[in-house]
């Protein structure tokens, strides 16, 4: 996927201004942080670009990065995200061999591997690049393992840390990186990008995803289209479980939280943020009942890793939605 237009300028600025061996890219989720991190890595490794310019996209090195097989690029993502992002750990069968639930953290073993990788001589003679996403998923031990290398980096090593929660990073890590903060794209640009990917009524899905274009695309990939989204409040108010049949629990809980947020906004005379206003026609929710629902949903969200029986959870959540969207004033 080519870099989205809102990341082109940040990439160009970063390549022009970057002086150290480590950069920290910070953004809210859904903006395309990992893609920017990879574009930075690809540019550093590119063998045909003009100085300070982005990667050419065509040289042997660029093709290796695109194929996820560049010998001088290591991408660290938590086990739980590896498959979805297409960056499987190449070594150690330990994760695959064990039956344990894939970790949501970037473990210390992975950081040790990265440090060792950074110390090796570059295979293609440009650099050794380590991309870490999301960097805030390093636990304290992992972060400290990295810290020593950031303090005294081996000659050819470069690091790109990508974070969606910059405040959760150790200050000592932050202070050793050149930080670049990314802003969410302007809505028109994001909508155009979505529509160029065949998404119809991009503005509805963009609102559904809180203005985050990658999150909107993920909704489409999960099988949700704009008209389905807009119909959800009415269908859930009627208790139609079919409307969310087969949804993964985290998506369902998140969607109900958005629905509850909007219902509360309307109950106090405000405007919805995630759903079109028309989606709430005829629905009445009482603000104190809705607040209780919001609290209940955050409780469920905190336990969404819990081995719920997905269908039972969905039934219970839909029944709850029906009750609260029809609560008497
Ligand atoms: Zn190139």
């Amino acid at each position: 996927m080519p870099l989205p237009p809102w990341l082109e300028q940040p990439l160009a600025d970063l390549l022009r201004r970057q002086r150290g061996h480590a950069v920290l890219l910070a953004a809210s989720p859904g903006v395309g942080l990992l893609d920017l991190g990879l574009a930075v890595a690809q540019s550093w490794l590119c063998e045909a670009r003009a100085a300070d310019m982005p990667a050419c996209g065509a040289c042997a090195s660029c093709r290796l990065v695109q194929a996820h097989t560049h010998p001088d690029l290591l991408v660290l993502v938590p086990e739980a995200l590896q498959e979805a992002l297409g960056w499987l750990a190449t070594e150690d069968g330990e994760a695959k061999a064990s039956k344990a639930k894939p970790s949501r953290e970037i473990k210390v073993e992975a950081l040790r591997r990265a440090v060792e990788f950074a110390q090796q001589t570059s295979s293609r003679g440009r650099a050794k690049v380590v991309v870490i996403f999301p960097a805030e998923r390093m636990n304290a031990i992992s972060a400290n393992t990295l810290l020593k290398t950031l303090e005294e980096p081996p000659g050819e090593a470069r690091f790109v840390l990508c974070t969606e929660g910059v405040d959760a990073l150790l200050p000592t890590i932050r202070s050793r990186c050149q930080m670049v903060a990314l802003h969410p794209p302007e809505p028109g640009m994001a909508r155009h990008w979505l529509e160029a990917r065949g998404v119809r009524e991009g503005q509805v899905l963009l609102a559904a995803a809180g203005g985050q274009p990658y999150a909107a695309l993920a909704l489409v990939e999960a099988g949700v289209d704009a008209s389905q989204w807009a119909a959800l409040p009415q269908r859930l108010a009627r208790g139609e479980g079919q409307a969310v049949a087969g949804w993964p629990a985290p998506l369902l809980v998140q969607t109900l939280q958005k629905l509850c947020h909007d219902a509360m906004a309307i109950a106090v005379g405000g405007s919805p943020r995630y759903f079109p206003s028309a989606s709430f026609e005829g629905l009445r929710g009482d603000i104190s009942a809705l607040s209780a629902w919001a609290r209940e949903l955050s409780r469920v969200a905190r336990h969404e890793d819990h081995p719920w029986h997905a269908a039972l959870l969905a039934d219970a959540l839909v029944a709850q939605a029906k009750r609260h969207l029809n609560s008497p004033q």
Side-chain angles (χ1 to χ4, degrees):
M1 187 149 73
L3 204 61
W6 60 87
L7 295 180
E8 284 169 6
Q9 197 57 46
L11 174 64
D13 291 348
L14 192 155
L15 292 173
R16 216 172 30 246
R17 288 201 309 253
Q18 184 265 332
R19 293 294 168 259
H21 57 276
V23 293
L24 173 60
L25 310 177
S28 50
V31 171
L33 200 48
L34 179 58
D35 283 353
L36 180 62
L38 292 171
V40 172
Q42 187 175 336
S43 302
W44 285 344
L45 293 168
C46 175
E47 291 159 10
R49 70 175 179 133
D52 294 349
M53 293 298 285
C56 74
C59 71
S61 176
C62 281
R63 288 201 305 273
L64 286 168
V65 172
Q66 286 154 4
H68 295 196
T69 52
H70 198 296
D72 295 325
L73 173 62
L74 182 67
V75 179
L76 291 190
V77 297
E79 282 164 15
L81 293 177
Q82 284 174 4
E83 204 165 339
L85 296 174
W87 287 99
L88 291 165
T90 45
E91 295 161 62
D92 72 356
E94 92 209 72
K96 272 157 259 149
S98 81
K99 289 264 167 23
K101 203 171 154 56
S103 173
R104 290 162 62 94
E105 290 189 338
I106 299 175
K107 292 177 165 176
V108 67
E109 297 81 38
L111 263 302
R112 289 205 187 106
R113 207 162 62 227
V115 167
E116 200 180 297
F117 172 86
Q119 286 162 347
Q120 291 163 4
T121 308
S122 161
S123 302
R124 298 187 64 91
R126 297 274 153 175
K128 295 297 275 186
V129 184
V130 177
V131 175
I132 304 177
F133 170 87
E136 72 277 12
R137 299 273 189 89
M138 289 186 287
N139 60 33
I141 304 168
S142 303
N144 275 306
T145 304
L146 175 66
L147 195 56
K148 294 186 200 101
T149 306
L150 288 181
E151 278 165 352
E152 292 168 49
E156 295 180 296
R158 300 272 188 104
F159 292 87
V160 188
L161 278 63
C162 307
T163 182
E164 294 173 346
V166 70
D167 296 334
L169 280 178
L170 290 180
T172 41
I173 293 266
R174 276 184 273 164
S175 67
R176 276 160 187 81
C177 299
Q178 180 180 351
M179 186 160 127
V180 178
L182 299 173
H183 303 289
E186 180 264 308
M189 191 185 263
R191 199 181 72 211
H192 184 80
W193 179 79
L194 282 172
E195 290 177 350
R197 265 151 199 78
V199 176
R200 291 201 290 183
E201 294 187 76
Q203 77 284 2
V204 173
L205 290 159
L206 202 55
Q212 300 161 355
Y214 276 65
L217 201 58
L219 271 177
V220 177
E221 281 159 5
V224 182
D225 68 23
S227 56
Q228 246 178 309
W229 181 263
L232 269 181
Q234 299 288 338
R235 295 191 67 188
L236 290 172
R238 289 195 296 270
E240 285 178 32
Q242 203 50 40
V244 292
W247 285 29
L251 175 63
L252 176 57
V253 174
Q254 233 178 54
T255 300
L256 292 172
Q257 285 182 308
K258 290 173 177 173
L259 180 50
C260 182
H261 166 279
D262 281 4
M264 285 171 78
I266 291 169
V268 297
S271 306
R273 174 175 175 206
Y274 302 104
F275 291 88
S277 299
S279 298
F280 289 90
E281 227 169 82
L283 299 184
R284 286 283 166 271
D286 166 71
I287 187 66
S288 61
L290 289 170
S291 310
W293 186 27
R295 283 195 298 277
E296 178 58 21
L297 286 170
S298 358
R299 197 187 59 79
V300 176
R302 277 197 301 277
H303 298 284
E304 74 187 8
D305 276 341
H306 197 272
W308 302 101
H309 189 307
L312 283 181
L313 175 67
D315 285 350
L317 290 173
V318 169
Q320 206 176 46
K322 180 184 179 188
R323 200 161 64 242
H324 287 104
L325 289 170
N326 294 294
S327 53
Q329 301 261 40

